[in-house]
Amino acid sequence: MKKQPPLAVKDIRSSLSLNLKLSDRVALRITNIFGSITFLIICAIIFLVWILWNTAIIPGALPFDKYPFPGLEMGVSIFAIILSVSVLISQNRIGRLEKTRQKVEFEVNFRAENEITKILQMLHEMQKKMGINTQDHELETMKENIDLQRLHEQIWDEEKNPDRED
């Protein structure tokens, strides 16, 4: 079996981007548009023109939404709902990406820990064969493999009792 080269960070990012659903791509596009300074300026200009038009400040413009501008108020309210939902969708997407990142990070850390433990065990065996005898309790502790079940239980206990000190 041919060994694949390790993934670069940009490859990992691009593979996460390839897994986007249509709804994720739409939400990302909406967030990018609504979250820009250009969009803010456009909205401010539209509101200003709307108000100036409907207060008869612009010569020759016939008001169609007299003060207190119920049409503008309704439009802004509907737009606020759409914007709020798009922000929530974006936050959900970011949350899913963060969970994925945490899982990948945990897996990498767990594998690295196992590899380091194996290296320590091999070094200790080499020390024994070379006749170097050390009584290092810290080394003995570091050579132990991680008990994933015990780790999960410790984390679970800490989440249930966050104020408890060990």
Side-chain angles (χ1 to χ4, degrees), residues 7-8 14 19 42 45 63-64 84 99 107 113 140 142:
L7 288 175
S14 64
N19 296 331
I42 291 170
I45 290 170
F64 57 89
S84 299
K99 281 183 183 178
E107 182 69 26
E113 179 68 30
E140 294 302 321
M142 291 184 336

Side-chain angles (χ1 to χ4, degrees), residues 45-139:
I45 290 170
I46 290 172
F47 296 152
L48 182 63
V49 169
W50 186 291
I51 292 169
L52 292 175
W53 186 301
N54 287 294
T55 53
I57 292 176
I58 299 176
L62 297 174
F64 57 89
D65 188 26
K66 299 212 186 265
Y67 182 82
F69 315 117
L72 178 62
E73 183 180 343
M74 183 181 69
V76 170
S77 296
I78 291 171
F79 183 70
I81 292 168
I82 293 169
L83 189 59
S84 299
V85 170
S86 68
V87 167
L88 291 173
I89 290 169
S90 178
Q91 287 178 337
N92 285 339
R93 181 184 167 276
I94 290 169
R96 285 194 315 270
L97 285 175
E98 182 62 24
K99 281 183 183 178
T100 301
R101 188 190 65 77
Q102 286 176 350
K103 288 177 184 178
V104 168
E105 190 174 286
F106 175 78
E107 182 69 26
V108 167
N109 288 339
F110 187 73
R111 287 182 182 184
E113 179 68 30
N114 284 338
E115 290 170 2
I116 292 168
T117 301
K118 183 68 175 175
I119 291 169
L120 288 173
Q121 291 169 346
M122 291 168 58
L123 285 172
H124 190 76
E125 288 298 316
M126 289 171 62
Q127 279 182 326
K128 283 183 189 176
K129 288 184 181 180
M130 295 173 74
I132 303 171
N133 194 2
T134 59
Q135 296 296 326
D136 189 350
H137 296 294
E138 187 178 8
L139 176 62

Side-chain angles (χ1 to χ4, degrees), residues 20-31:
L20 292 178
K21 300 176 193 170
L22 176 63
S23 60
D24 289 331
R25 288 193 301 267
V26 169
L28 189 58
R29 179 65 140 214
I30 289 172
T31 304

